Amino acid sequence: ADGLLAFSAVEIRRSDKSGATGAVMFFARFLRADEIERVRQTSRLPANLTVIAERPAAQATGPRNLQSWLSGSTGEGPLDAAASGPDSVMGYALVSDVGGRPLAYFTTEHERDVGQLGRRTTWGLMGTLAALMIASACALLAMMLRLRRSWAEHAALQSEHRHVLSDLDQNQNRLAHLIEHDELTELPNRRYLDARLPQLLSRLQAQRQSLALLHIDIDNFKNVNDASGHGQGDAVLKIIARRLCTATSAQDVVLRISGDEFVVIAPDIEGATATRKLADRLLTAIRGPVSLGGLPLALPASMGIAVYPQDGSDGETLLKHADIALHEAKQRGRDCFAVFASDMNVQVNEHLALEQALRRAIDSDQIYVEYQPVVDLQTGLLASFEALARWRHPELGMVSPGRFIPVAEKSGLIVAMTERVVRQVIAQLSEWQRAGLLLAPVAVNVAPIQFERTEFPNFVHAAALEYDIDPRWISFEVTESAWMQNSSKHVVMIDTLRHEGSRIYIDDFGTGFSNLSYLKTLPVDAVKIDQSFIRGIETDASDEAIVSGIIAMSRQLNLLTVAEGIETAGQAQLLRRMGCRYGQGYHFAKPMAAEKCQALLEQLAAVQRVTETMTMRAFKKVAT
């Protein structure tokens, strides 16, 4: 009454299969209603279990085979299946009791998957084939259209190539011209020179003819760009290019090989005299005034000359020797030309050897400092010192500053050398300070490159802080021409130095771009009148007028003046009458070692004590 009871009995046989053991394993399980429901819920098929309550009801509702079982015909067995329709099949199983009486039956109905799968597969295959045929047709059509376009593009490209090739024959010369000519001046450039000079030399060699190569560099051209801008500089270069072309003959070639450097090739030149005449003519043409901002400006040039074949048998050697001669012309003071000579090579080699030796000397005791006093022209007492770098080479002995300073400037070693001098000066001031001496300011010469490559004011500040020296005891001298190279950057750094307390002097004043308006804008404290004017002050009225004008101009601008190179008492007396405040030169003292400066500092201290004593006595006398 509570459900179904399923059971099974199995005979137990021997493990060797020799026969029965006489025992039976019996299994029974009671199937309650909830278990039957669980089976129904978890079955993968929609199976239904129906309990047979009354035989007639089962016969009325069961399938055909099941009705036979219920009626007692059991010829088909306990399981069977039958088609219930074209798309489904029904399966059923009968559950009987031990007496063979039906108790219940399981039924399930499922779609006929094989048939449906076959039909679906067939239709899918046919659809896929149809899609493939359609896709193939579309792809074939697309390929045909693309091939057609490709042929059209190929034909157009072939036509364009034929057009380009035809134009290339016309434009080839123009392209070569652009590659081998300067864009600004339209003169041939360095590529042109490298490509054509060897060919020209080969032809001249066969014809036994000569050639002059003139290397020209515009003196101080950088000042034009810095003062007036690169636009004005380019305009000046165009003018110079036209002048060079006008001053040469039709067979000569004028080239621009870099910023302000030109080369003139003069083939078949007739001897040294003709070469010198051509050089003079070119320098005169360049030197003519150029209007720059409404003001006339003369730009001289330096020139080096090498002649084929005696100065070189190939273009590279000729250019090298012309460059060496150009350097010689600059050493002679610029605004001139120099013809290459074999001994110039020796000088170049000596220059390189000197540079290498100087590079090693900077970090050693070979570089040291001497001090030249600057005196008050009214009292004759010490006012300050100028620090001068000296080089004592272990083999060469004393090397003149006139030799090693230009080498240091050209090689960039002047930066490290100046820093070494500044450090030695600050260390010496510290030593004098610890000795209880009265200090006097010491001036150090600073090259323009010092402001370009380093944060010089920071270096000075750090060194002064390290040695506990007030920066007001350190002064700096900057040449007048240095201000023109990059005045805005220099002004910023010099303002920083002045803010720390240092004084700034314009050195060699009168040799550069001296004018009142320019001097008025510079952050300086004093000007040092160049010794070239002092030398002839007693005999040359022009020098006397120039010096007098500089002193008067400085006084109007509240600037101190220092006269350099005083060698006679007459010069000192005349400068004193003109109102020059300070003087420096061999008339007073030569540069000396730091040990000898101590006596001057002690004398200065003694005079100061006397002056203070006399001042106190005067105050007391007035008070009484």
Side-chain angles (χ1 to χ4, degrees):
D2 294 331
L4 299 178
L5 180 65
F7 63 88
S8 173
V10 178
E11 183 182 27
I12 300 176
R13 300 183 66 82
R14 297 182 183 275
S15 59
D16 58 1
K17 300 181 181 180
S18 59
T21 61
V24 175
M25 181 179 70
F26 181 81
F27 169 83
R29 182 170 182 176
F30 180 68
L31 300 177
R32 297 188 303 271
D34 58 340
E35 291 186 285
I36 296 174
E37 182 62 26
R38 179 176 58 81
V39 172
R40 181 183 291 111
Q41 293 296 331
T42 58
S43 174
R44 296 182 61 185
L45 294 175
N48 294 310
L49 176 64
T50 304
V51 179
I52 299 174
E54 298 178 359
R55 189 179 183 91
Q59 289 178 338
T61 60
R64 177 181 55 84
N65 292 38
L66 182 58
Q67 292 175 359
S68 300
W69 286 331
L70 296 177
S71 62
S73 177
T74 59
E76 294 184 78
L79 300 174
D80 199 0
S84 60
D87 298 326
S88 63
V89 64
M90 176 179 286
Y92 47 87
L94 182 66
V95 179
S96 304
D97 60 8
V98 292
R101 292 187 301 273
L103 296 178
Y105 61 90
F106 286 99
T107 61
T108 183
E109 188 174 3
H110 195 64
E111 294 181 354
R112 302 182 69 176
D113 293 339
V114 175
Q116 291 185 8
L117 179 61
R119 287 192 294 273
R120 286 198 301 269
T121 303
T122 301
W123 283 109
L125 180 60
M126 292 177 63
T128 302
L129 291 174
L132 287 174
M133 293 177 65
I134 295 172
S136 299
C138 293
L140 181 61
L141 180 61
M143 289 178 63
M144 293 177 64
L145 293 175
R146 184 173 181 180
L147 184 61
R148 184 177 180 180
R149 284 199 306 270
S150 178
W151 277 108
E153 292 174 357
H154 180 71
L157 187 60
Q158 289 291 334
S159 176
E160 184 179 353
H161 284 174
R162 287 192 295 270
H163 180 69
V164 170
L165 290 174
S166 63
D167 288 345
L168 186 60
D169 293 336
Q170 300 175 6
N171 295 333
Q172 190 171 9
N173 293 334
R174 176 60 179 168
L175 182 60
H177 178 86
L178 292 175
I179 293 175
E180 294 185 343
H181 284 72
D182 174 51
E183 183 179 359
L184 177 64
T185 62
E186 297 187 356
L187 294 176
N189 58 19
R190 182 60 181 263
R191 287 194 182 94
Y192 183 98
L193 182 65
D194 293 339
R196 306 298 175 87
L197 184 56
Q199 303 172 10
L200 178 59
L201 293 178
S202 297
R203 180 172 62 82
L204 293 177
Q205 183 182 18
Q207 299 173 356
R208 297 183 180 277
Q209 294 178 337
S210 60
L211 172 145
L213 189 151
L214 301 90
H215 188 181
I216 305 167
D217 182 72
I218 310 302
D219 294 334
N220 299 317
F221 183 76
K222 188 176 184 298
N223 294 341
V224 176
N225 284 332
D226 290 340
S228 303
H230 288 276
Q232 291 284 1
D234 290 346
V236 171
L237 289 174
K238 289 182 180 180
I239 295 173
I240 292 175
R242 288 196 297 269
R243 289 179 177 180
L244 290 174
C245 292
T246 304
T248 53
S249 63
Q251 65 179 358
D252 298 337
V253 182
V254 181
L255 308 97
R256 182 188 178 211
I257 62 172
S258 68
D260 61 341
E261 295 185 48
F262 296 84
V263 165
V264 175
I265 303 294
D268 196 20
I269 194 115
E270 298 178 357
T273 302
T275 302
R276 291 177 179 274
K277 285 183 178 180
L278 174 61
D280 284 329
R281 191 163 64 248
L282 293 173
L283 290 179
T284 301
I286 297 172
R287 198 182 293 120
V290 177
S291 179
L292 191 63
L295 299 175
L297 175 67
L299 285 175
S302 301
M303 182 187 301
I305 304 173
V307 179
Y308 171 84
Q310 57 263 39
D311 295 335
S313 58
D314 58 85
E316 184 178 354
T317 303
L318 284 174
L319 281 168
K320 174 185 174 182
H321 289 169
D323 186 62
I324 292 174
L326 173 63
H327 178 73
E328 177 65 21
K330 292 182 178 180
Q331 293 293 102
R332 295 177 184 176
R334 302 176 185 266
D335 193 20
C336 65
F337 69 86
V339 181
F340 176 78
S342 57
D343 61 344
M344 292 182 184
N345 250 336
V346 177
Q347 295 175 9
V348 171
N349 292 334
E350 289 180 351
H351 178 93
L352 292 176
L354 197 65
E355 178 182 332
Q356 294 301 320
L358 182 59
R359 194 177 299 276
R360 293 189 295 268
I362 287 178
D363 294 328
S364 70
D365 293 336
Q366 295 180 33
I367 303 297
Y368 64 97
V369 178
E370 287 188 339
Y371 302 86
Q372 185 172 28
V374 177
V375 303
D376 189 322
L377 292 179
Q378 303 301 321
T379 65
L381 296 175
L382 174 70
S384 62
F385 293 102
E386 179 181 0
L388 301 170
R390 296 291 185 260
W391 182 12
R392 183 184 292 106
H393 191 276
E395 298 174 0
L396 301 176
M398 293 300 300
V399 182
S400 168
R403 287 185 63 192
F404 74 81
I405 294 297
V407 172
E409 290 179 341
K410 187 173 182 179
S411 63
L413 294 173
I414 193 68
V415 174
M417 179 181 291
T418 301
E419 290 181 353
R420 179 173 179 82
V421 169
V422 170
R423 197 168 187 84
Q424 287 190 30
V425 166
I426 293 177
Q428 186 60 61
L429 286 168
S430 177
E431 183 178 335
W432 287 337
Q433 183 173 260
R434 290 196 305 271
L437 297 175
L438 182 65
L439 297 184
V442 180
V444 178
N445 292 277
V446 181
I449 194 175
Q450 195 78 44
F451 297 121
E452 297 291 339
R453 296 191 180 182
T454 63
E455 293 295 332
F456 186 63
N458 293 342
F459 169 80
V460 174
H461 176 78
L465 190 63
E466 179 183 351
Y467 286 94
D468 193 24
I469 289 296
D470 192 326
R472 68 189 178 93
W473 298 116
I474 314 164
S475 303
F476 298 97
E477 298 183 7
V478 184
T479 59
E480 184 181 0
S481 58
W483 290 94
M484 297 299 296
Q485 295 187 20
N486 191 349
S487 58
S488 59
K489 185 173 183 179
H490 292 179
V491 165
V492 172
M493 290 200 176
I494 287 173
D495 269 338
T496 304
L497 291 171
R498 295 185 75 212
H499 180 73
E500 293 288 334
S502 298
R503 283 188 174 184
I504 306 298
Y505 296 78
I506 297 182
D507 198 14
D508 302 332
F509 189 79
T511 60
F513 297 83
S514 306
N515 62 77
L516 181 61
S517 60
Y518 182 68
L519 183 61
K520 185 179 180 180
T521 61
L522 297 181
V524 297
D525 301 284
V527 295
K528 299 190 74 172
I529 306 171
D530 189 72
Q531 59 183 343
S532 60
F533 301 111
I534 305 301
R535 192 176 299 117
I537 193 174
E538 294 181 281
T539 57
D540 191 324
S542 297
D543 286 344
E544 182 180 357
I546 291 173
V547 173
S548 178
I550 293 173
I551 294 173
M553 179 174 57
S554 301
R555 186 183 299 115
Q556 290 294 324
L557 297 174
N558 295 320
L559 299 176
L560 300 174
T561 50
V562 182
E564 297 180 295
I566 301 176
E567 297 182 352
T568 66
Q571 293 172 348
Q573 185 177 0
L574 183 56
L575 287 166
R576 190 182 302 114
R577 289 202 304 267
M578 289 181 179
C580 184
R581 179 68 182 275
Y582 301 105
Q584 176 183 357
Y586 281 14
H587 172 66
F588 302 106
K590 295 181 179 181
M592 61 184 66
E595 294 78 13
K596 294 185 178 180
C597 297
Q598 183 170 343
L600 294 176
L601 294 174
E602 291 173 348
Q603 180 185 7
L604 184 64
V607 172
Q608 185 181 40
R609 287 194 296 270
V610 172
T611 303
E612 291 175 351
T613 300
M614 294 178 63
T615 302
M616 291 300 297
R617 289 177 180 176
F619 282 148
K620 290 180 180 179
K621 185 175 182 181
V622 171
T624 56

